[in-house]
Amino acid sequence: MWPYRLITGLFAKLLKENHSRFSIDTNTPVTGVTYDANKPNYRHKLQTPRGVVHADQVIYCTNAYTSHLLPQLRGKVFPFRGTMPAQSIAPNLPNHGARHSWSIYHEPKFDPATGTFTFGLYYMTQNAKTGD
């Protein structure tokens, strides 16, 4: 999944369907979420420093602080610094720009001979201008 495309696609859809009341409030962290199964609509209550927001659905787009909002994920989601280098590509690989992305998955493994640990998940996207 490409998070940027997901979020911008959702924003475009919400703006089109709710143009008179749609807003994006940046730098407004959600500090708590509660759920009321007895309510017919807007069962989620999101607490923010600017006030309460009620919603039918919630998408959690967080980082290492996920378990602060979802205690059941404590010990399952943890901070991890990933890296993503930019590299020149082989001349025979065409520039697909934003149309394609690739991922490679294998079981994580440790090589005792080199002391190298591979996490097993690699992905590639291309810069639409350079192809890198």
mmCIF file of all heavy atoms in Angstrom, residues 72-107:
data_model
loop_
_atom_site.group_PDB
_atom_site.id
_atom_site.type_symbol
_atom_site.label_atom_id
_atom_site.label_comp_id
_atom_site.label_asym_id
_atom_site.label_seq_id
_atom_site.Cartn_x
_atom_site.Cartn_y
_atom_site.Cartn_z
ATOM 1 N N GLN A 72 -4.304 -2.656 23.114
ATOM 2 C CA GLN A 72 -4.193 -4.073 22.758
ATOM 3 C C GLN A 72 -3.001 -4.340 21.832
ATOM 4 O O GLN A 72 -2.617 -5.485 21.633
ATOM 5 C CB GLN A 72 -5.496 -4.592 22.151
ATOM 6 C CG GLN A 72 -5.885 -3.968 20.837
ATOM 7 C CD GLN A 72 -6.743 -2.725 20.950
ATOM 8 O OE1 GLN A 72 -6.651 -1.969 21.901
ATOM 9 N NE2 GLN A 72 -7.584 -2.495 19.960
ATOM 10 N N LEU A 73 -2.394 -3.284 21.279
ATOM 11 C CA LEU A 73 -1.227 -3.461 20.416
ATOM 12 C C LEU A 73 0.097 -3.244 21.146
ATOM 13 O O LEU A 73 1.158 -3.313 20.534
ATOM 14 C CB LEU A 73 -1.315 -2.517 19.210
ATOM 15 C CG LEU A 73 -2.421 -2.837 18.219
ATOM 16 C CD1 LEU A 73 -2.417 -1.861 17.060
ATOM 17 C CD2 LEU A 73 -2.299 -4.262 17.694
ATOM 18 N N ARG A 74 0.046 -3.003 22.448
ATOM 19 C CA ARG A 74 1.286 -2.842 23.215
ATOM 20 C C ARG A 74 2.120 -4.114 23.127
ATOM 21 O O ARG A 74 1.618 -5.209 23.304
ATOM 22 C CB ARG A 74 0.979 -2.506 24.666
ATOM 23 C CG ARG A 74 0.501 -1.091 24.793
ATOM 24 C CD ARG A 74 0.405 -0.594 26.207
ATOM 25 N NE ARG A 74 -0.153 0.753 26.154
ATOM 26 C CZ ARG A 74 -1.112 1.187 26.938
ATOM 27 N NH1 ARG A 74 -1.600 0.416 27.880
ATOM 28 N NH2 ARG A 74 -1.568 2.409 26.799
ATOM 29 N N GLY A 75 3.369 -3.933 22.814
ATOM 30 C CA GLY A 75 4.267 -5.072 22.655
ATOM 31 C C GLY A 75 4.244 -5.664 21.259
ATOM 32 O O GLY A 75 5.054 -6.520 20.936
ATOM 33 N N LYS A 76 3.339 -5.210 20.409
ATOM 34 C CA LYS A 76 3.248 -5.718 19.032
ATOM 35 C C LYS A 76 3.698 -4.682 18.009
ATOM 36 O O LYS A 76 4.134 -5.029 16.917
ATOM 37 C CB LYS A 76 1.818 -6.154 18.735
ATOM 38 C CG LYS A 76 1.368 -7.314 19.610
ATOM 39 C CD LYS A 76 -0.062 -7.700 19.306
ATOM 40 C CE LYS A 76 -0.460 -8.906 20.090
ATOM 41 N NZ LYS A 76 -1.238 -8.661 21.244
ATOM 42 N N VAL A 77 3.544 -3.391 18.339
ATOM 43 C CA VAL A 77 4.001 -2.306 17.478
ATOM 44 C C VAL A 77 5.060 -1.547 18.260
ATOM 45 O O VAL A 77 4.838 -1.157 19.403
ATOM 46 C CB VAL A 77 2.835 -1.355 17.100
ATOM 47 C CG1 VAL A 77 3.346 -0.176 16.297
ATOM 48 C CG2 VAL A 77 1.771 -2.107 16.321
ATOM 49 N N PHE A 78 6.224 -1.376 17.667
ATOM 50 C CA PHE A 78 7.317 -0.722 18.367
ATOM 51 C C PHE A 78 8.087 0.147 17.378
ATOM 52 O O PHE A 78 8.008 -0.062 16.171
ATOM 53 C CB PHE A 78 8.231 -1.761 19.029
ATOM 54 C CG PHE A 78 8.721 -2.812 18.091
ATOM 55 C CD1 PHE A 78 9.907 -2.652 17.413
ATOM 56 C CD2 PHE A 78 7.971 -3.971 17.880
ATOM 57 C CE1 PHE A 78 10.349 -3.625 16.537
ATOM 58 C CE2 PHE A 78 8.412 -4.955 17.009
ATOM 59 C CZ PHE A 78 9.605 -4.771 16.332
ATOM 60 N N PRO A 79 8.849 1.116 17.902
ATOM 61 C CA PRO A 79 9.585 2.009 17.005
ATOM 62 C C PRO A 79 10.691 1.270 16.269
ATOM 63 O O PRO A 79 11.360 0.407 16.831
ATOM 64 C CB PRO A 79 10.164 3.075 17.934
ATOM 65 C CG PRO A 79 10.064 2.516 19.304
ATOM 66 C CD PRO A 79 9.015 1.455 19.298
ATOM 67 N N PHE A 80 10.839 1.606 15.018
ATOM 68 C CA PHE A 80 11.885 1.005 14.200
ATOM 69 C C PHE A 80 12.279 2.013 13.142
ATOM 70 O O PHE A 80 11.426 2.516 12.407
ATOM 71 C CB PHE A 80 11.376 -0.279 13.540
ATOM 72 C CG PHE A 80 12.396 -0.917 12.644
ATOM 73 C CD1 PHE A 80 13.443 -1.650 13.171
ATOM 74 C CD2 PHE A 80 12.314 -0.781 11.275
ATOM 75 C CE1 PHE A 80 14.373 -2.228 12.365
ATOM 76 C CE2 PHE A 80 13.248 -1.357 10.450
ATOM 77 C CZ PHE A 80 14.281 -2.087 10.996
ATOM 78 N N ARG A 81 13.537 2.338 13.091
ATOM 79 C CA ARG A 81 14.008 3.292 12.100
ATOM 80 C C ARG A 81 14.362 2.533 10.825
ATOM 81 O O ARG A 81 15.261 1.697 10.813
ATOM 82 C CB ARG A 81 15.233 4.041 12.602
ATOM 83 C CG ARG A 81 15.741 5.068 11.606
ATOM 84 C CD ARG A 81 16.942 5.784 12.164
ATOM 85 N NE ARG A 81 16.515 6.547 13.311
ATOM 86 C CZ ARG A 81 16.596 7.859 13.407
ATOM 87 N NH1 ARG A 81 17.106 8.553 12.432
ATOM 88 N NH2 ARG A 81 16.180 8.478 14.484
ATOM 89 N N GLY A 82 13.640 2.830 9.776
ATOM 90 C CA GLY A 82 13.929 2.226 8.485
ATOM 91 C C GLY A 82 14.760 3.174 7.640
ATOM 92 O O GLY A 82 14.883 4.356 7.941
ATOM 93 N N THR A 83 15.345 2.667 6.616
ATOM 94 C CA THR A 83 16.115 3.511 5.713
ATOM 95 C C THR A 83 15.636 3.289 4.295
ATOM 96 O O THR A 83 15.122 2.225 3.955
ATOM 97 C CB THR A 83 17.617 3.188 5.787
ATOM 98 O OG1 THR A 83 17.800 1.814 5.430
ATOM 99 C CG2 THR A 83 18.177 3.448 7.170
ATOM 100 N N MET A 84 15.794 4.312 3.494
ATOM 101 C CA MET A 84 15.410 4.205 2.086
ATOM 102 C C MET A 84 16.404 5.003 1.260
ATOM 103 O O MET A 84 16.307 6.222 1.172
ATOM 104 C CB MET A 84 13.995 4.724 1.858
ATOM 105 C CG MET A 84 13.517 4.503 0.462
ATOM 106 S SD MET A 84 11.778 4.908 0.368
ATOM 107 C CE MET A 84 11.463 4.452 -1.311
ATOM 108 N N PRO A 85 17.400 4.334 0.705
ATOM 109 C CA PRO A 85 18.387 5.051 -0.096
ATOM 110 C C PRO A 85 17.863 5.328 -1.501
ATOM 111 O O PRO A 85 16.944 4.662 -1.977
ATOM 112 C CB PRO A 85 19.559 4.071 -0.148
ATOM 113 C CG PRO A 85 18.905 2.731 -0.080
ATOM 114 C CD PRO A 85 17.710 2.925 0.828
ATOM 115 N N ALA A 86 18.445 6.307 -2.138
ATOM 116 C CA ALA A 86 18.166 6.563 -3.553
ATOM 117 C C ALA A 86 19.332 5.990 -4.345
ATOM 118 O O ALA A 86 20.492 6.237 -4.027
ATOM 119 C CB ALA A 86 18.028 8.055 -3.815
ATOM 120 N N GLN A 87 19.022 5.190 -5.352
ATOM 121 C CA GLN A 87 20.058 4.545 -6.136
ATOM 122 C C GLN A 87 19.737 4.700 -7.608
ATOM 123 O O GLN A 87 18.566 4.716 -8.006
ATOM 124 C CB GLN A 87 20.133 3.065 -5.801
ATOM 125 C CG GLN A 87 20.463 2.813 -4.349
ATOM 126 C CD GLN A 87 20.377 1.337 -3.993
ATOM 127 O OE1 GLN A 87 19.829 0.535 -4.732
ATOM 128 N NE2 GLN A 87 20.930 0.979 -2.850
ATOM 129 N N SER A 88 20.777 4.788 -8.410
ATOM 130 C CA SER A 88 20.582 4.791 -9.857
ATOM 131 C C SER A 88 20.146 3.392 -10.268
ATOM 132 O O SER A 88 20.548 2.405 -9.662
ATOM 133 C CB SER A 88 21.878 5.160 -10.580
ATOM 134 O OG SER A 88 22.261 6.464 -10.235
ATOM 135 N N ILE A 89 19.330 3.311 -11.294
ATOM 136 C CA ILE A 89 18.821 2.013 -11.729
ATOM 137 C C ILE A 89 19.524 1.564 -13.002
ATOM 138 O O ILE A 89 20.186 2.356 -13.677
ATOM 139 C CB ILE A 89 17.303 2.065 -11.951
ATOM 140 C CG1 ILE A 89 16.941 3.112 -12.993
ATOM 141 C CG2 ILE A 89 16.583 2.339 -10.657
ATOM 142 C CD1 ILE A 89 15.507 3.060 -13.436
ATOM 143 N N ALA A 90 19.340 0.303 -13.306
ATOM 144 C CA ALA A 90 19.908 -0.252 -14.535
ATOM 145 C C ALA A 90 19.237 0.416 -15.735
ATOM 146 O O ALA A 90 18.049 0.732 -15.689
ATOM 147 C CB ALA A 90 19.690 -1.759 -14.569
ATOM 148 N N PRO A 91 19.973 0.636 -16.797
ATOM 149 C CA PRO A 91 19.400 1.326 -17.963
ATOM 150 C C PRO A 91 18.242 0.568 -18.619
ATOM 151 O O PRO A 91 17.408 1.175 -19.288
ATOM 152 C CB PRO A 91 20.573 1.460 -18.933
ATOM 153 C CG PRO A 91 21.703 0.698 -18.360
ATOM 154 C CD PRO A 91 21.375 0.298 -16.965
ATOM 155 N N ASN A 92 18.143 -0.746 -18.398
ATOM 156 C CA ASN A 92 17.068 -1.502 -19.035
ATOM 157 C C ASN A 92 15.758 -1.485 -18.234
ATOM 158 O O ASN A 92 14.769 -2.061 -18.665
ATOM 159 C CB ASN A 92 17.507 -2.937 -19.325
ATOM 160 C CG ASN A 92 17.908 -3.675 -18.053
ATOM 161 O OD1 ASN A 92 18.105 -3.068 -17.022
ATOM 162 N ND2 ASN A 92 18.055 -4.979 -18.161
ATOM 163 N N LEU A 93 15.736 -0.817 -17.071
ATOM 164 C CA LEU A 93 14.500 -0.703 -16.300
ATOM 165 C C LEU A 93 13.842 0.630 -16.644
ATOM 166 O O LEU A 93 14.388 1.688 -16.351
ATOM 167 C CB LEU A 93 14.780 -0.774 -14.797
ATOM 168 C CG LEU A 93 13.542 -0.672 -13.899
ATOM 169 C CD1 LEU A 93 12.606 -1.861 -14.121
ATOM 170 C CD2 LEU A 93 13.946 -0.600 -12.445
ATOM 171 N N PRO A 94 12.679 0.594 -17.284
ATOM 172 C CA PRO A 94 12.033 1.854 -17.666
ATOM 173 C C PRO A 94 11.560 2.636 -16.446
ATOM 174 O O PRO A 94 11.331 2.064 -15.384
ATOM 175 C CB PRO A 94 10.854 1.417 -18.535
ATOM 176 C CG PRO A 94 10.625 -0.007 -18.214
ATOM 177 C CD PRO A 94 11.919 -0.571 -17.698
ATOM 178 N N ASN A 95 11.404 3.931 -16.634
ATOM 179 C CA ASN A 95 10.913 4.791 -15.567
ATOM 180 C C ASN A 95 9.394 4.688 -15.525
ATOM 181 O O ASN A 95 8.702 5.195 -16.394
ATOM 182 C CB ASN A 95 11.354 6.235 -15.807
ATOM 183 C CG ASN A 95 10.935 7.157 -14.676
ATOM 184 O OD1 ASN A 95 10.213 6.752 -13.768
ATOM 185 N ND2 ASN A 95 11.386 8.385 -14.740
ATOM 186 N N HIS A 96 8.885 4.028 -14.495
ATOM 187 C CA HIS A 96 7.439 3.892 -14.327
ATOM 188 C C HIS A 96 6.866 5.007 -13.460
ATOM 189 O O HIS A 96 5.653 5.086 -13.274
ATOM 190 C CB HIS A 96 7.093 2.536 -13.701
ATOM 191 C CG HIS A 96 7.406 1.376 -14.585
ATOM 192 N ND1 HIS A 96 6.652 1.059 -15.690
ATOM 193 C CD2 HIS A 96 8.402 0.461 -14.537
ATOM 194 C CE1 HIS A 96 7.157 -0.008 -16.284
ATOM 195 N NE2 HIS A 96 8.221 -0.394 -15.606
ATOM 196 N N GLY A 97 7.743 5.836 -12.898
ATOM 197 C CA GLY A 97 7.304 6.975 -12.099
ATOM 198 C C GLY A 97 6.352 6.564 -10.997
ATOM 199 O O GLY A 97 6.623 5.659 -10.235
ATOM 200 N N ALA A 98 5.205 7.237 -10.916
ATOM 201 C CA ALA A 98 4.231 6.986 -9.854
ATOM 202 C C ALA A 98 3.223 5.893 -10.216
ATOM 203 O O ALA A 98 2.313 5.620 -9.454
ATOM 204 C CB ALA A 98 3.502 8.278 -9.518
ATOM 205 N N ARG A 99 3.383 5.265 -11.378
ATOM 206 C CA ARG A 99 2.406 4.259 -11.797
ATOM 207 C C ARG A 99 2.606 2.899 -11.136
ATOM 208 O O ARG A 99 1.677 2.118 -11.035
ATOM 209 C CB ARG A 99 2.446 4.091 -13.317
ATOM 210 C CG ARG A 99 1.994 5.326 -14.076
ATOM 211 C CD ARG A 99 1.934 5.079 -15.574
ATOM 212 N NE ARG A 99 3.142 4.475 -16.118
ATOM 213 C CZ ARG A 99 4.194 5.160 -16.581
ATOM 214 N NH1 ARG A 99 4.203 6.460 -16.542
ATOM 215 N NH2 ARG A 99 5.242 4.537 -17.074
ATOM 216 N N HIS A 100 3.832 2.575 -10.720
ATOM 217 C CA HIS A 100 4.129 1.259 -10.161
ATOM 218 C C HIS A 100 5.010 1.391 -8.928
ATOM 219 O O HIS A 100 5.765 2.345 -8.789
ATOM 220 C CB HIS A 100 4.882 0.377 -11.170
ATOM 221 C CG HIS A 100 4.122 0.048 -12.397
ATOM 222 N ND1 HIS A 100 3.111 -0.877 -12.424
ATOM 223 C CD2 HIS A 100 4.216 0.527 -13.653
ATOM 224 C CE1 HIS A 100 2.625 -0.952 -13.644
ATOM 225 N NE2 HIS A 100 3.278 -0.107 -14.414
ATOM 226 N N SER A 101 4.929 0.400 -8.073
ATOM 227 C CA SER A 101 5.897 0.219 -6.994
ATOM 228 C C SER A 101 6.082 -1.279 -6.828
ATOM 229 O O SER A 101 5.245 -2.071 -7.254
ATOM 230 C CB SER A 101 5.429 0.885 -5.699
ATOM 231 O OG SER A 101 4.235 0.306 -5.250
ATOM 232 N N TRP A 102 7.182 -1.680 -6.221
ATOM 233 C CA TRP A 102 7.498 -3.091 -6.097
ATOM 234 C C TRP A 102 7.834 -3.409 -4.650
ATOM 235 O O TRP A 102 8.337 -2.568 -3.917
ATOM 236 C CB TRP A 102 8.711 -3.452 -6.961
ATOM 237 C CG TRP A 102 8.501 -3.237 -8.416
ATOM 238 C CD1 TRP A 102 8.092 -4.166 -9.327
ATOM 239 C CD2 TRP A 102 8.691 -2.031 -9.154
ATOM 240 N NE1 TRP A 102 8.013 -3.604 -10.579
ATOM 241 C CE2 TRP A 102 8.374 -2.289 -10.501
ATOM 242 C CE3 TRP A 102 9.083 -0.740 -8.802
ATOM 243 C CZ2 TRP A 102 8.452 -1.327 -11.491
ATOM 244 C CZ3 TRP A 102 9.153 0.224 -9.791
ATOM 245 C CH2 TRP A 102 8.844 -0.075 -11.123
ATOM 246 N N SER A 103 7.575 -4.628 -4.256
ATOM 247 C CA SER A 103 7.989 -5.071 -2.929
ATOM 248 C C SER A 103 8.529 -6.495 -3.041
ATOM 249 O O SER A 103 8.112 -7.275 -3.894
ATOM 250 C CB SER A 103 6.827 -5.010 -1.935
ATOM 251 O OG SER A 103 5.797 -5.877 -2.319
ATOM 252 N N ILE A 104 9.472 -6.786 -2.177
ATOM 253 C CA ILE A 104 10.090 -8.107 -2.113
ATOM 254 C C ILE A 104 9.996 -8.547 -0.661
ATOM 255 O O ILE A 104 10.370 -7.799 0.245
ATOM 256 C CB ILE A 104 11.566 -8.062 -2.550
ATOM 257 C CG1 ILE A 104 11.673 -7.519 -3.979
ATOM 258 C CG2 ILE A 104 12.218 -9.432 -2.417
ATOM 259 C CD1 ILE A 104 13.081 -7.121 -4.363
ATOM 260 N N TYR A 105 9.505 -9.745 -0.431
ATOM 261 C CA TYR A 105 9.403 -10.256 0.928
ATOM 262 C C TYR A 105 10.023 -11.642 1.009
ATOM 263 O O TYR A 105 9.808 -12.480 0.150
ATOM 264 C CB TYR A 105 7.947 -10.335 1.388
ATOM 265 C CG TYR A 105 7.833 -10.978 2.748
ATOM 266 C CD1 TYR A 105 8.152 -10.256 3.889
ATOM 267 C CD2 TYR A 105 7.478 -12.308 2.886
ATOM 268 C CE1 TYR A 105 8.090 -10.845 5.144
ATOM 269 C CE2 TYR A 105 7.417 -12.899 4.130
ATOM 270 C CZ TYR A 105 7.722 -12.158 5.253
ATOM 271 O OH TYR A 105 7.680 -12.742 6.488
ATOM 272 N N HIS A 106 10.795 -11.847 2.037
ATOM 273 C CA HIS A 106 11.283 -13.180 2.382
ATOM 274 C C HIS A 106 11.363 -13.252 3.900
ATOM 275 O O HIS A 106 11.290 -12.235 4.585
ATOM 276 C CB HIS A 106 12.634 -13.488 1.732
ATOM 277 C CG HIS A 106 13.747 -12.586 2.162
ATOM 278 N ND1 HIS A 106 14.414 -12.722 3.356
ATOM 279 C CD2 HIS A 106 14.299 -11.505 1.561
ATOM 280 C CE1 HIS A 106 15.330 -11.793 3.473
ATOM 281 N NE2 HIS A 106 15.280 -11.029 2.390
ATOM 282 N N GLU A 107 11.487 -14.435 4.427
ATOM 283 C CA GLU A 107 11.567 -14.604 5.875
ATOM 284 C C GLU A 107 12.803 -13.876 6.399
ATOM 285 O O GLU A 107 13.880 -13.994 5.801
ATOM 286 C CB GLU A 107 11.638 -16.089 6.245
ATOM 287 C CG GLU A 107 10.353 -16.839 5.999
ATOM 288 C CD GLU A 107 9.211 -16.334 6.878
ATOM 289 O OE1 GLU A 107 9.444 -16.033 8.072
ATOM 290 O OE2 GLU A 107 8.092 -16.226 6.354
#
